[in-house]
Amino acid sequence: MIPARITKRDPLRAVILILLFGAAFVGAPVANHYWLEILTEIGILLIFVVGIDFLVGYTGLITLGHAGFMGVGAYSLVWIAHIQGIPVSIAMPLAILAGAVVAVIVGMLVTRVSGVFFIMVTLAMSMLFYSWAFKARRPFGGDDGLSVAGTIRLDLSSIGIDLDDQLTFCLFVLVIALLIYLLFEWLVRTPFGQTLGAIRQNENRVRALGCPVGVYKVAAFTVAGAVAALAGALHVQSTEFLHPNVSYWIKSGEGLIIVIVGGMGTLVGPVIGTFLFVLFHKGVESLTTHWQFWMGLTFIVIVIFAPDGIYGRLRTLAGSRKRKRKLHQPLDEEADVRADA
């Protein structure tokens, strides 16, 4: 699959973002408890998959272990805030920092290999953390999980924001998701982001020019790991329950599927994919217990008929319409001239 790169002027991207985020922000105040949970899940998953797209679509680092950093964020927040009793306002930045530190360490190891070896090593690293969390009964409850209700939400009452209110928390998550998206969109346009794109296209040439390719890869891995840790911290605040499944490799696989289906290397594609994945999941799950089959079949059809992702297909259709208008425009002008004559 060829990534559909972001262009400087792409009105279609702006329209899609306005429609999706606009619908979420407008719909949240009138949504019931069930739909607020869905919108919150969309926001958290969006933060997670945009970071995956940054690694896969812009750096060429295909990973199946990204959920491990989500687990680091969730478990770090619970350890610092719930177990040690440190305020969440301090614990949350520390949890994100923990994700970044672990990402640096893991990144220095895994970026020494590439291709399928990189995929398998990242998967192994994630499974190491999952295995530890699965057996860590003290103090995290192991495979039974740990309830952290009432102790894990960020306290913003000093500025008049009550995150214990479900609507407020949902809007808070959506705002963070939008800010993270804008952060990555800015980042890929910087010299750092452009260098990552060059590494993805021709790593050997970039290395021959004297660029420290390994440093750039580790830096990208660190940024994505920190953002995944943020998603993990928000996830445990949303569910108020800690479980090892937050770091299971299937979550990484789901994120990779969302990126591919939405449009790899576009950032806005994963936004489309996230909304589609969550809404389709909840809708089909309410009708049949075999929702995985129908979801998998749907994604196969999308990949076959839109190999560059949903966003890539939409942009191709929009481009073809523009070309048709340009072709017809000279004919229309010629007809007007003849009519005047």
Side-chain angles (χ1 to χ4, degrees):
M1 181 173 295
I2 301 174
R5 312 301 296 175
I6 286 181
T7 56
K8 290 185 177 181
R9 295 181 180 180
D10 190 355
L12 178 61
R13 184 174 74 255
V15 170
I16 292 173
L17 289 174
I18 291 172
L19 288 176
L20 293 180
F21 276 103
F25 282 113
V26 172
V30 296
N32 57 24
H33 176 82
Y34 176 73
W35 279 101
L36 285 176
E37 286 186 347
I38 291 178
L39 290 175
T40 303
E41 182 179 348
I42 287 174
I44 295 171
L45 184 59
L46 194 153
I47 295 171
F48 179 65
V49 299
V50 169
I52 293 179
D53 191 33
F54 179 68
L55 279 180
V56 176
Y58 288 92
T59 316
L61 300 176
I62 303 176
T63 174
L64 274 179
H66 208 58
F69 302 113
M70 195 172 181
V72 170
Y75 275 78
S76 297
L77 181 66
V78 170
W79 168 260
I80 299 171
H82 179 74
I83 297 175
Q84 300 299 323
I86 298 175
V88 181
S89 57
I90 299 175
M92 195 164 176
L94 291 178
I96 298 172
L97 179 61
V101 171
V102 173
V104 170
I105 298 172
V106 174
M108 288 190 296
L109 296 174
V110 301
T111 54
R112 296 175 181 272
V113 295
S114 59
V116 67
F117 301 103
F118 179 87
I119 297 174
M120 297 311 298
V121 173
T122 55
L123 174 60
M125 290 291 183
S126 177
M127 289 306 296
L128 283 175
F129 181 85
Y130 172 79
S131 299
W132 169 82
F134 193 83
K135 296 180 180 180
R137 291 195 170 275
R138 294 184 180 180
F140 298 112
D143 58 326
D144 292 329
L146 177 68
S147 175
V148 293
T151 63
I152 210 71
R153 287 282 176 93
L154 188 63
D155 184 11
L156 297 179
S157 58
S158 59
I159 57 175
I161 299 177
D162 180 19
L163 292 183
D164 288 327
D165 176 68
Q166 189 181 18
L167 172 59
T168 305
F169 184 76
C170 175
L171 293 174
F172 174 72
V173 169
L174 290 174
V175 168
I176 293 180
L178 179 58
L179 292 177
I180 291 296
Y181 170 86
L182 295 175
L183 170 65
F184 275 114
E185 188 170 278
W186 166 80
L187 191 60
V188 298
R189 300 181 192 278
T190 63
F192 171 70
Q194 296 298 315
T195 303
L196 292 178
I199 292 173
R200 181 191 61 82
Q201 294 176 15
N202 196 324
E203 180 177 331
N204 292 330
R205 179 174 294 182
V206 175
R207 182 178 285 107
L209 293 173
C211 176
V213 172
V215 174
Y216 274 87
K217 285 185 175 182
V218 172
F221 209 79
T222 302
V223 172
V227 171
L230 169 62
L234 290 173
H235 170 79
V236 75
Q237 289 186 59
S238 173
T239 61
E240 295 186 314
F241 187 78
L242 181 69
H243 194 274
N245 283 345
V246 70
S247 60
Y248 197 45
W249 73 270
I250 289 181
K251 188 171 290 292
S252 300
E254 290 176 349
L256 191 58
I257 290 173
I258 290 171
V259 168
I260 294 173
V261 169
M264 184 170 62
T266 63
L267 293 182
V268 70
V271 176
I272 300 172
T274 300
F275 276 84
L276 175 65
F277 178 85
V278 176
L279 294 178
F280 189 87
H281 174 193
K282 299 299 182 181
V284 176
E285 189 180 33
S286 64
L287 300 176
T288 175
T289 57
H290 304 291
W291 62 270
Q292 295 98 332
F293 170 80
W294 294 108
M295 180 173 290
L297 183 62
T298 302
F299 286 165
I300 290 173
V301 172
I302 292 174
V303 171
I304 291 175
F305 290 97
D308 50 353
I310 296 175
Y311 175 67
R313 178 57 59 186
L314 291 175
R315 197 167 64 174
T316 300
L317 293 175
S320 62
R321 290 183 179 180
K322 286 183 179 180
R323 286 192 294 271
K324 287 181 180 179
R325 284 198 297 266
K326 288 182 179 179
L327 288 174
H328 289 298
Q329 186 174 1
L331 297 176
D332 295 339
E333 292 178 353
E334 184 178 350
D336 292 340
V337 171
R338 289 180 180 177
D340 293 338

